[in-house]
Amino acid sequence: MEKIELYDVTIIGGGPAGLYTAFYSGMRELKTKIIEAHDALGGKLLTYPEKIIWDVGGMTPIRCEKLVEQLIEQAKTFDPTIVLGQQVVGYERLEDGTIMLTAASGEKHYTKTVIMAIGYGIRKMAKLDIEGADRYEVTNLYYTVQELEVFRGKHVLISGGGDSAVDWANELEPIAASVTVVHRRDSFGGLERNVTRMKESSVTVRTPYRLRALHSQDGKRINEVTIAHMETEAEERLQVEAVVVNHGMRSDYGPIRDWGFNMGEWNVYVSEKMETNIPGIFGAGDFANFTSKVRLIAGAFTDGVLALNSAKLFMDPEAFEVAFVSSHNEVFKEKNKALGLVAE
């Protein structure tokens, strides 16, 4: 008979919420597993590696890729088991109360509690709805800005009006020959400060317009685009050397929607202790929705701590409600010595 390895906590999702929860789970001396559907940890931060993040407490402005690196290093402090490339699709509670999770590939995972940190589900970039657009994805049609230097000295058109479109416009403005932002609405979804910065810079903002057609002289690279006014349908052709599309993400929770969660369109409703309506399963990060929700990375960290504390009490009602702070936590004594931070 197959030997079952049982974990105290299984965290589904390896983004900021899941990674910090894994670290905190180690502080509470729990046997921990992370299961991530993609082949790398980092969650949606991986989509924007060069984006600058300002709002993580105690940290100066940092690029996404560096923040991901540091979150992963921190998450590995207590050696959790990490499983990549498995999408969890099913759960079953066994007779002894153990939760059995099933991946799409058939693998089984056994755990006492689960923390759902899956964001908005499996995320995919919304592709440009123009026939033949995919042929340019290998040349100069982009759905994310991976390396700023690729756009140096080029005439760049950005289609979209959310946070990322605004951020990319601001990041590219100093290095591109020109940046034009085309958006269907007059209002933008980015932070007000960033939208103001974009509008006060040399970025050309065209609203309310949409990207209607792509044009190529050789069939390989986009040389011009047609944009159309949303109301009058009046068209204009613009010369470009790179097109960046940010039309949002398409997310799908898949079979998880059938688990019986009390869910809205985008996330699951949880208590102030991050409890879902399914005993032993808790939420954190974008997946969790509650009245005082803080949609910042800092909020995701706090969600994870609350969810983990609730999981600990679910397993042991007599346990301490929270972990001791790291400066007084016994589990860090040897680690501090190993790092040479305290005297032997």
Side-chain angles (χ1 to χ4, degrees):
M1 182 176 179
E2 180 186 358
K3 183 179 179 181
I4 294 175
E5 187 170 9
L6 180 63
Y7 285 80
D8 295 318
V9 177
T10 296
I11 301 162
I12 305 179
L19 291 171
Y20 190 77
T21 304
F23 166 72
Y24 187 76
S25 185
M27 288 181 64
R28 303 227 59 184
E29 300 184 275
L30 296 174
K31 186 176 181 180
T32 308
K33 177 185 282 188
I34 303 173
I35 305 176
E36 166 56 48
H38 294 97
D39 293 326
L41 297 169
K44 68 180 180 183
L45 294 184
L46 295 175
T47 310
Y48 319 111
E50 295 209 12
K51 184 177 179 180
I52 305 298
I53 296 178
W54 287 72
D55 55 9
V56 178
M59 193 172 290
T60 54
I62 185 172
R63 292 195 182 279
C64 272
E65 58 187 353
K66 183 62 177 177
L67 179 59
V68 168
E69 178 185 320
Q70 294 183 184
L71 283 169
I72 293 173
E73 182 179 355
Q74 183 184 47
K76 291 181 177 180
T77 300
F78 299 101
D79 300 317
T81 297
I82 298 174
V83 178
L84 300 176
Q86 289 192 27
Q87 180 186 358
V88 176
V89 295
Y91 101 97
E92 178 183 347
R93 194 177 303 276
L94 305 181
E95 289 185 6
D96 64 355
T98 296
I99 295 173
M100 182 179 71
L101 300 171
T102 304
S105 51
E107 285 84 352
K108 307 292 185 183
H109 303 272
Y110 300 88
T111 186
K112 296 176 184 177
T113 62
V114 176
I115 295 178
M116 306 290 292
I118 60 174
Y120 297 109
I122 302 299
R123 296 166 61 86
K124 296 179 181 179
M125 287 286 185
K127 294 297 187 78
L128 186 61
D129 189 18
I130 293 177
E131 186 176 355
D134 57 339
R135 78 182 69 167
Y136 303 114
E137 292 178 16
V138 297
T139 54
N140 63 341
L141 174 63
Y142 304 86
Y143 289 98
T144 183
V145 175
Q146 297 283 342
E147 298 180 30
L148 294 174
E149 283 299 314
V150 171
F151 303 90
R152 183 173 292 277
K154 295 182 179 179
H155 297 284
V156 182
L157 181 134
I158 299 174
S159 178
D163 274 314
S164 296
V166 173
D167 289 343
W168 287 339
N170 287 330
E171 291 286 330
L172 292 174
E173 188 266 344
I175 67 172
S178 68
V179 177
T180 300
V181 176
V182 175
H183 183 37
R184 291 170 172 265
R185 293 180 290 277
D186 291 322
S187 60
F188 286 83
L191 293 174
E192 292 179 2
R193 182 188 66 234
N194 294 339
V195 173
T196 298
R197 175 186 167 195
M198 177 184 71
K199 290 183 175 180
E200 291 179 348
S201 71
S202 65
V203 173
T204 300
V205 177
R206 303 299 304 273
T207 60
Y209 278 84
R210 64 185 175 91
L211 187 55
R212 172 166 282 179
L214 309 174
H215 309 285
S216 174
Q217 294 176 354
D218 59 7
K220 298 178 180 179
R221 302 182 65 86
I222 304 167
N223 304 110
E224 292 185 318
V225 300
T226 296
I227 62 173
H229 194 277
M230 294 298 297
E231 298 171 359
T232 67
E233 293 294 330
E235 294 185 348
E236 296 181 41
R237 282 177 75 123
L238 305 175
Q239 291 188 336
V240 299
E241 293 173 284
V243 175
V244 180
V245 175
N246 178 237
H247 292 174
M249 305 289 288
R250 298 291 181 264
S251 299
D252 183 10
Y253 286 122
I256 285 175
R257 279 201 173 273
D258 300 325
W259 287 15
F261 286 121
N262 179 18
M263 294 187 71
E265 183 178 2
W266 300 110
N267 36 40
V268 67
Y269 297 106
V270 298
S271 72
E272 61 180 11
K273 296 181 179 180
M274 301 299 113
E275 301 158 314
T276 72
N277 58 302
I278 300 178
I281 301 184
F282 307 87
D286 287 333
F287 182 70
N289 189 20
F290 53 99
T291 304
S292 55
K293 180 73 176 180
V294 176
R295 297 199 178 279
L296 296 172
I297 292 176
F301 294 162
T302 302
D303 290 354
V305 169
L306 293 171
L308 198 284
N309 286 334
S310 292
K312 177 79 172 183
L313 291 170
F314 180 85
M315 291 180 284
D316 179 8
E318 301 302 318
F320 289 112
E321 292 188 359
V322 298
F324 289 109
V325 296
S326 61
S327 58
H328 293 81
N329 195 313
E330 290 291 325
V331 301
F332 289 101
K333 277 192 173 182
E334 293 304 317
K335 294 183 180 295
N336 289 340
K337 289 179 183 179
L339 292 170
L341 299 175
V342 295
E344 293 288 343

